[in-house]
Amino acid sequence: MQEFITIAVFNFAHEITILKTILDREEIPYLFQNENLVSIDPLASIAYGGIKLKVHPNDQERVQQIIDDLNRPKLNIV
């Protein structure tokens, strides 16, 4: 895991739920550092530096695209 890099930081555990499901489905290895600590004490998230998403550098672009797609607002055109 030493070669994994941080590509995103989240403040609360509920923010990573959908992302974890997508990464599992895509079979992308990942680590959410501090996930358990923040789950136990959400108010200490800032003290721990938040929940850090770490991925292998080879998967960085792919994961960043997934995060961008999740953050992009969907337009409902009727």
Side-chain angles (χ1 to χ4, degrees), residues 33-53:
Q33 185 178 7
N34 298 333
E35 177 184 6
N36 291 334
L37 291 170
V38 173
S39 294
I40 293 168
D41 188 5
L43 298 177
S45 179
I46 294 171
Y48 296 121
I51 301 171
K52 298 174 183 165
L53 171 58

Side-chain angles (χ1 to χ4, degrees), residues 7-69:
I7 66 163
V9 179
F10 303 90
N11 292 318
F12 301 104
H14 70 272
E15 296 176 314
I16 64 173
T17 305
I18 293 173
L19 183 55
K20 284 174 71 171
T21 302
I22 294 169
L23 294 175
D24 287 338
R25 184 185 67 212
E26 297 291 326
E27 297 181 356
I28 299 172
Y30 65 90
L31 168 70
F32 281 104
Q33 185 178 7
N34 298 333
E35 177 184 6
N36 291 334
L37 291 170
V38 173
S39 294
I40 293 168
D41 188 5
L43 298 177
S45 179
I46 294 171
Y48 296 121
I51 301 171
K52 298 174 183 165
L53 171 58
K54 294 183 172 274
V55 297
H56 193 275
N58 294 344
D59 296 319
Q60 180 180 1
E61 286 184 33
R62 194 165 153 210
V63 174
Q64 189 60 57
Q65 184 62 49
I66 291 169
I67 293 170
D68 292 345
D69 289 345

